[in-house]
Amino acid sequence: MQTVVSIAASGKPLSGSTLPAPRVLNAEDIGRLKRLHLYLIKPTQYDEDGYVVRHWRGVLPSNTLACLAGLTEDVVAQKRLGESIQVKVHVLDETVDRVPVKRICRSQRGGHTKTIVCLAGVQTNQFPRAADLARTFRRAGLTVMIGGFHVSGYLALLPEIPPDIQQLMDEGVTIVKGEVEETWGDLLCDAVSGRLKPLYDFIDHKPDLYEKPVPVIRTEYLRKFVASNFGTLDCGRGCPFECTFCTIINVQGRKMRFRSAEHIAQAIRHNYQAHGITFYFFTDDNFARNKNWEAIFDALIRLREQEHIPLKFMMQVDVLSWKIKNFVSKARRAGCNTVFIGMESVNTDNLEAAGKNQNRVHEYSQLIEAYRSAEISTHVGYIIGFPGDSVDSVRRDVAFLMQDVRPDHASFFMLTPLPGSMDHLNMANRGEWMHPDFNLYDSHHAVTIHPKLGDDWKELYLEAWRSFYSAANMKAVLLRSSMRTYWNNLTRFIWYKNSVATEGRHPMMCGFFRLKGRKNRRPGYPILSRWAYYTGRAKEIRAHLAGMARVLLEMEELWLQTRHPSAAEQRVVEELARIRAAYGRLKLADLQLAYLRAKTQFPALRVPSKLQLLWARWVPLLAPRKVYTRADLDWFWQAARQHWNERRWFRIPPHRVALNLFREAQLSLLFILHFGRAREPGIE
Ligand code: B12
Ligand code: SF4
């Protein structure tokens, strides 16, 4: 039995009522209804020009959608919506899917087909888009519910219902606050029988997740992501700490809840067999405080070592995680290849002000080293714009982060008072200005006035990205990387560089290639003529492709400068050094001998013929393995461009252009081949 507070359209609490035992619809509730369309839609955000942000190939599938899909399957299997009703569940993630608004609006017909739209996992930056979609669907007479962190967090701390949410409720949209693992069936029953209340408040009833239905992933959804073997799963929820910028503790709570290790293992086994998923992002905000972590790791170790499932995963942990006995070593055996660490700052004053007292700056390098020595990549979250930050302190801190703490990756965020955080509540209580447009609350925009950074804030934030992902720092990271972490690190550099430098978006809000729709624009923005839209779009795409090519060449150079020779390659080089030391100058036969000796240890090694060795010696471009930089190529193209611009075409030798184009193609192909092998997350 659960206590639930129902709230009337006026926004006033009606009563504290008690939920009855799970409800099942009967023939009277269903009436003439034969078919139900249930749309689970995760909305996206609008960009600066008001266009809906969508990508061809996203980076991370939504766990919220998978959770709700899993819960729905359970409700349908239990026939709680009636014996005869046919339920069709449509899962749409607007970050990668075009939402067919008109088709959805038309899908509800007569009294026999009903459509329910659930706007799911709505974050603050997605709330404006969610609200626009909700209104459109309501105008078409559909049943609409909104849930997720924005409405849950917003309503969790504020004493009154804010006007924008109240307005949606007045327009007939149902708002759901909190988690629904134990109430989803009842909500659907209310929705199907037309008895939905304006607001459901489950915030004080945190479901026990132990044996709840696990998230259900669909293969066709995964195909919309860069790596279709990449899934998400929450093994637990909550976090015991008290950071003032955090919304998690006020929505999912400070008491840790977790799924059973056996259920997790079953889900992973099933996802591997049915969808080929071998890599996970465990979405728990702090896996290290999941009380069941050891049982979960042990179950994953059994999957890897006894069932030979090539499982890999990344997880979020706190800065003290490395001190938990066996945590790091078991994480490695369980398949962890990356940890995302909530470091937030290297400045003790900032950490204290944010209530993040568990973070001890003097132990940061030990933390990074603990994971590095287990060959697990480290990725830190870093916030810029704490009240104590100044231009100088931020520059100094970012330099300290790169040179002393030395994580493999960093994600920078602008401090944002997200509704549901103490920062938001305190600012609201103090009456301080916060930007009225929630579309900008994505930690990539300044939505408050910073007392010291003022207008420099955004630029300083972008500068932090540029410094961390500079050629020099990325090279240092790759040179420190082991064979196991090298491609993991390089792949993430490509993703991050492409997002920040090419698309100007936060990597966590980006995908592979941006898609747009001419008419898919925020209300209030004009719909451009076809000519104006497509000429502008052609320019954008050209600039984007040029940016991608630049990133690819930069990464190619980085790879040439840092690539780890394979163990067999290393062995050949050692044998060559030995032969040289013994006989002085090397002959072709000696080169062959070095390969033959290495082959005794690496039987798969191909020994080149003398003719091949001769080729490689005299025609170096056929031996790209010996190339360690493409600086000479860069230099050639720059000079050629200058001659071209100065109209001195005769100074550009055509045969060298052809030769260098061939070398470029050869190097790029080699890089792409190596990258392709490592592209599948989890492959080292
Ligand atoms: C995984 C994750 C990501 C991933 C994947 C996102 C994705 N594709 O879904 C990545 C790394 C890409 C990401 C990016 C960002 N994230 Co994020 N992310 C998370 C994280 C850790 C887990 C999300 C999750 O799966 N939760 C588990 C699900 C089951 O919980 P849930 O969504 O709340 O859903 C439950 C209920 O709310 C309810 N419910 C949800 N929807 C609906 C709908 C209806 C109708 C009903 C009835 C119920 C219901 O039912 C569910 C089951 O109980 C959360 C923190 C967290 N603990 O949730 C942050 C979180 C959601 N992210 C957050 C933020 C700020 C971001 C970024 C803006 C950060 C940034 N600058 O990069 C971007 C935005 C990206 C984007 N376009 O969405 C904030 C959002 C806070 C807010 N108020 O907006 C959170 C809460 C973390 C935080 N810092 O506080 N994120
Ligand atoms: S450690 Fe992370 S999840 Fe926990 S309260 Fe702080 S910010 Fe939130």
Side-chain angles (χ1 to χ4, degrees), residues 384-397:
I384 292 180
F386 282 113
D389 277 342
S390 67
V391 174
D392 290 342
S393 75
V394 170
R395 287 198 176 126
R396 208 177 39 239
D397 291 349

Side-chain angles (χ1 to χ4, degrees), residues 39-45 53 59-68 71 93 95 117-126 144-154 174-184 187 200 202 207 209 215 221 225 232-234 236-238 245-249 251-252 257 259 281-285 314 316 340 411-414 416 418-421 441-444 461 495-496 505-510:
Y39 280 91
L40 304 174
I41 305 177
K42 175 142 173 81
T44 182
Q45 182 196 28
V53 176
V59 285
L60 263 183
S62 160
N63 179 50
T64 312
L65 287 176
C67 280
L68 295 180
L71 294 175
D93 180 343
T95 62
V117 177
C118 298
L119 295 161
V122 178
Q123 300 185 10
T124 299
N125 70 83
Q126 297 152 349
V144 183
M145 294 191 259
I146 299 186
F149 256 79
H150 178 71
V151 292
S152 304
Y154 212 173
T174 290
I175 304 292
V176 182
K177 172 182 169 193
E179 297 166 51
V180 295
E181 267 70 12
E182 287 170 3
T183 42
W184 182 242
L187 275 171
Y200 289 82
F202 306 124
L209 299 175
Y221 175 47
F225 292 84
T232 43
L233 183 64
D234 54 338
R237 294 186 197 153
F245 53 82
C246 181
T247 60
I248 286 137
I249 39 180
V251 175
Q252 297 185 339
R257 290 161 293 132
R259 296 187 191 276
F281 176 30
F282 292 143
T283 60
D284 310 38
D285 290 288
M314 64 181 278
Q316 308 189 85
F340 187 93
S411 280
F412 297 96
F413 303 92
M414 297 178 83
T416 303
L418 289 166
S421 65
Y441 282 54
D442 57 4
S443 343
H444 195 61
Y461 157 79
W495 164 22
Y496 270 52
R505 291 185 66 76
H506 196 284
M508 292 181 181
M509 311 192 61
C510 206

